Amino acid sequence: MADEDVPRAESVEDLLTMGTFTVVSEGISYRNEGAGYYEDMYLYNLRLPSGERVAAWINLENVQNQGDIYSGAAILPVGQVVWADLEENASFMDQITAGYPLDRTDFYVDMTGNAAKYSEEYRTENYTLWVQGITLLICFPLFHGLGSHFGVFPAFFPSRRKEREEQF
């Protein structure tokens, strides 16, 4: 979240000259003026205080609303410029510019933080596969051994005692 020490960007020039910044938006207008999917990111058509429009990837959990949520000020999270040619994706441009055209399409603003934002399932997916594999390697021989001891399953390696009993 942006605190009082984070500079407030007013225009595209501010975005390009500041390393990190925040933008103050009017209410929830940043969510209602167009958006679209660009490379698995949901980018909003963000109107800067100067009236210029840029695409922004916003972590909605870190937006600070001051006053009424619809008409008060919304301090967006700390952001930085990420260079990308947005016009390469025509369907994205159709989505995000349905209401208002973007002033710049050679970058977008990343307001999700330095680390990518992933769902909990994505973060734990690799660990889940490892745990399932280890569980299988431990539990299968254990349960099969118990089952074969009680005669439910045939044994993988018959014991010598059973071989002798079967001979007599």
Side-chain angles (χ1 to χ4, degrees), residues 51-89:
E52 297 169 296
R53 293 186 172 275
V54 295
W57 187 24
I58 303 171
N59 182 354
L60 299 177
E61 295 170 4
N62 291 335
V63 174
Q64 302 170 59
N65 292 309
Q66 297 179 334
D68 182 40
I69 190 170
Y70 300 107
S71 60
I75 302 172
L76 301 181
V78 177
Q80 62 187 8
V81 170
V82 177
W83 296 100
D85 186 8
L86 303 177
E87 290 183 342
E88 287 180 343
N89 189 333

Side-chain angles (χ1 to χ4, degrees), residues 86-147:
L86 303 177
E87 290 183 342
E88 287 180 343
N89 189 333
S91 66
F92 163 72
M93 289 302 294
D94 290 341
Q95 292 171 26
I96 199 164
T97 60
Y100 304 97
L102 295 175
D103 290 301
R104 295 288 298 263
T105 58
D106 56 339
F107 68 86
Y108 66 89
V109 178
D110 180 355
M111 294 183 153
T112 60
N114 291 332
K117 182 179 170 188
Y118 297 110
S119 66
E120 184 176 349
E121 292 84 15
Y122 185 83
R123 288 190 304 246
T124 60
E125 184 176 336
N126 292 335
Y127 298 114
T128 303
L129 293 175
W130 279 101
V131 169
Q132 288 174 344
I134 291 169
T135 303
L136 180 68
L137 290 174
I138 292 171
C139 291
F140 178 75
L142 179 68
F143 286 125
H144 192 276
L146 286 171

Side-chain angles (χ1 to χ4, degrees), residues 10-25:
E10 299 281 328
S11 65
V12 171
E13 183 180 339
D14 291 345
L15 297 178
L16 298 176
T17 57
M18 298 176 181
T20 57
F21 49 82
T22 187
V23 175
V24 178
S25 177

